[in-house]
Amino acid sequence: RNGDYERATTKYAACLTIDGDGSQYNQNALENDDAGGRLHAVLHCNRAACLMALKRYREAVKECTASLRIHTHYMKAILRRGRCFVMLRQFNEAVAEYER
């Protein structure tokens, strides 16, 4: 809320390493199929929002994709990924997101 998005991305990444069953969670967003359930989907999506504020759209797309691997119909992740594609001038991908 105070605009420290870099610190927030680090904190969200730290939260993603916490897993109740003691298993290790890989911080590479695209290497976790469905780990963590809905909470991890939200954390990835929130991390994407911070990355978007920092104009790191490619990284934000990866976070949204990780979120959608966990929760395939998570609307915030779909919309954020679409916005990232627009900012990256990948308009066909953006349209495909919005038509999901």
Side-chain angles (χ1 to χ4, degrees), residues 5-94:
Y5 298 110
E6 195 66 52
R7 183 169 178 245
T9 59
T10 302
K11 294 291 186 183
Y12 282 124
C15 289
L16 285 165
T17 64
I18 300 168
D19 200 341
D21 67 2
S23 63
Q24 188 65 27
Y25 186 80
N26 189 332
Q27 285 194 30
N28 182 345
L30 298 179
E31 292 185 15
N32 299 294
D33 289 332
D34 62 356
R38 186 164 170 80
L39 174 60
H40 279 196
V42 171
L43 291 171
H44 280 294
C45 195
N46 288 353
R47 192 160 192 262
C50 293
L51 292 166
M52 289 171 71
L54 295 168
K55 299 184 183 345
R56 291 164 47 186
Y57 300 111
R58 290 188 198 291
E59 292 173 70
V61 166
K62 290 179 183 178
E63 292 295 330
C64 290
T65 300
S67 179
L68 290 165
R69 283 188 177 177
I70 297 166
H71 183 27
T72 57
H73 300 298
Y74 188 20
M75 189 55 67
K76 275 190 180 179
I78 292 168
L79 295 174
R80 284 185 180 151
R81 190 163 67 172
R83 273 188 249 130
C84 288
F85 284 138
V86 168
M87 297 307 292
L88 293 168
R89 303 190 62 79
Q90 295 177 345
F91 300 117
N92 290 336
E93 290 86 348

